[in-house]
């Protein structure tokens, strides 16, 4: 089993879904884990209690990742409790349906701010910290198949996720000489609160189109995150790891 004892991990949007699975995955492997939530204090607090049985420290705080001042405050408070970050997982995101005729400027901005601006905020601030402390860190950004092939009725979401991929590939080149690796994971359909409404009506249809015959779970994504964060991936940077059960093969 991979061991992250002594490492400090920061997961954005850690209270639910893929983020919560990632917090569990690192905490159960000995890491100190910090995460933020946006509105869902109860879920965040329960997760903290669950992870306290492991050896590392757990810290969480409310922080709207789309607001730079809140991100700065989060990192300051986190810095009072934990060592410098070794592994950053930019996971927080929203997925709001609206087609090109119906979405508003505010909806467009909100999606870009939460999904893409936040990745820039955390990456730039943490990369600075990693460089200052000569940390050979790993940054993992959660994109989506939508960022690669587009997504009907979610063009603002697809744009934000495509932006994450090109941002990742660019920053990987800048940070590589400092020994900092930057990669993406692109999930397809995953069963979480984000997709709950669609799963209620379309789950069997989605399952049928999966070549592997099942819909991946949050832990399938956190497994990929663990790998990219580990020394096993020491030669991998600027890449996109697709974890989608083969869904993109079906169009
Ligand atoms: P989820 O279950 O809806 O959880 C979203 C998480 O992000 C929650 O912890 C939420 O906090 C947090 N969050 C949302 N807006 C935030 C904000 N403004 N500031 C801070 N935190 C915020 O989503 P998920 O399915 O786990 O998705 C995680 C990531 O995977 C997202 O980037 C998503 O785009 C990507 N992804 C998901 C799928 C899928 O099928 N599920 C597919 C491809 C990509 P609260 O609990 O406080 O609300």
């Amino acid at each position: 089993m991979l061991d992250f004892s002594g490492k400090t991990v920061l997961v954005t949007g850690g209270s639910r879904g893929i983020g919560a699975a990632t917090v569990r995955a690192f905490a159960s492997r000995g890491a100190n884990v910090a995460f933020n939530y946006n509105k869902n204090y109860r879920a965040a607090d329960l997760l903290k209690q669950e992870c306290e049985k492991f050896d590392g420290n757990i810290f969480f705080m409310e922080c709207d990742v789309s607001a730079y001042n809140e991100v700065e405050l989060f990192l300051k408070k986190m810095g009072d409790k934990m060592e410098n970050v070794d592994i950053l997982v930019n996971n927080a995101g929203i997925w709001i349906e609206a087609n090109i005729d119906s979405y508003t400027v505010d909806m467009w901005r909100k999606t870009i701010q939460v999904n893409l601006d936040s990745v820039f905020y955390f990456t730039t601030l943490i990369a600075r910290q990693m460089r200052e402390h000569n940390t050979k860190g790993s940054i993992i950004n959660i994109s989506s198949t939508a960022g690669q092939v587009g997504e009907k009725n979610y063009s603002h979401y697809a744009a934000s996720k495509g932006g994450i991929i090109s941002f990742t590939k660019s920053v990987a080149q800048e940070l590589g000489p400092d020994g900092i690796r930057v990669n993406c994971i692109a999930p397809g359909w995953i069963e979480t609160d984000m997709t709950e409404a669609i799963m209620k009506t379309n789950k069997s249809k989605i399952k049928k189109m999966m070549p592997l015959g099942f819909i991946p779970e949050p832990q399938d994504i956190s497994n990929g995150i663990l790998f990219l964060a580990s020394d096993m991936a020491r030669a991998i940077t600027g890449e996109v790891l697709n974890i989608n059960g083969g869904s993109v093969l079906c169009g």
Side-chain angles (χ1 to χ4, degrees), residues 76-250:
K76 187 177 174 312
K77 297 279 182 194
M78 179 191 164
D80 294 340
K81 304 266 180 206
M82 284 188 180
E83 299 290 316
N84 301 303
V85 173
D86 298 286
I87 296 156
L88 166 65
V89 183
N90 281 308
N91 163 76
I94 53 172
W95 185 62
I96 301 166
E97 182 173 6
N99 66 27
I100 195 87
D101 296 318
S102 65
Y103 65 67
T104 62
V105 170
D106 279 353
M107 285 162 92
W108 170 273
R109 287 201 180 128
K110 181 79 187 159
T111 296
I112 298 295
Q113 284 166 353
V114 174
N115 292 2
L116 184 57
D117 290 2
S118 67
V119 175
F120 164 67
Y121 297 158
F122 277 96
T123 300
T124 187
L125 291 167
I126 293 298
R128 200 174 299 160
Q129 194 192 87
M130 285 175 172
R131 278 172 154 164
E132 271 170 18
H133 295 90
N134 199 22
T135 303
K136 309 298 178 203
S138 175
I139 299 174
I140 297 149
N141 300 322
I142 306 304
S143 178
S144 167
T145 51
Q148 298 167 304
V149 298
E151 188 170 25
K152 189 180 168 190
N153 296 337
Y154 293 89
S155 56
H156 46 345
Y157 177 80
S160 71
K161 294 298 184 178
I164 288 177
I165 293 174
S166 46
F167 177 74
T168 298
K169 287 178 179 289
S170 308
V171 175
Q173 294 174 52
E174 292 180 32
L175 299 179
D178 297 298
I180 301 167
R181 297 181 296 106
V182 192
N183 290 290
C184 277
I185 290 190
W189 289 109
I190 311 292
E191 278 207 78
T192 64
D193 293 347
M194 183 175 272
T195 52
E196 191 184 8
I198 289 215
M199 291 294 171
K200 265 188 190 142
T201 47
N202 288 305
K203 187 168 173 176
S204 56
K205 198 171 137 197
I206 293 170
K207 207 170 152 187
K208 261 190 210 142
M209 73 172 203
M210 291 282 184
L212 290 178
F214 68 92
I215 299 170
E217 294 170 3
Q219 213 184 326
D220 293 305
I221 305 304
S222 60
N223 284 340
I225 293 171
L226 291 173
F227 165 66
L228 286 176
S230 77
D231 287 343
M232 288 172 74
R234 71 184 195 109
I236 301 176
T237 197
E239 284 301 327
V240 183
L241 175 58
N242 292 291
I243 305 179
N244 54 40
S247 61
V248 285
L249 303 171
C250 315

Side-chain angles (χ1 to χ4, degrees), residues 43-103:
D45 191 44
L46 282 172
L47 182 61
K48 179 175 189 271
Q49 288 175 37
E50 181 191 330
C51 291
E52 273 169 350
K53 64 178 180 232
F54 303 118
D55 290 341
N57 297 323
I58 306 290
F59 168 81
F60 77 95
M61 194 178 119
E62 181 180 343
C63 164
D64 178 352
V65 294
S66 67
Y68 188 70
N69 61 332
E70 291 196 28
V71 172
E72 280 185 311
L73 183 65
F74 175 87
L75 292 179
K76 187 177 174 312
K77 297 279 182 194
M78 179 191 164
D80 294 340
K81 304 266 180 206
M82 284 188 180
E83 299 290 316
N84 301 303
V85 173
D86 298 286
I87 296 156
L88 166 65
V89 183
N90 281 308
N91 163 76
I94 53 172
W95 185 62
I96 301 166
E97 182 173 6
N99 66 27
I100 195 87
D101 296 318
S102 65
Y103 65 67

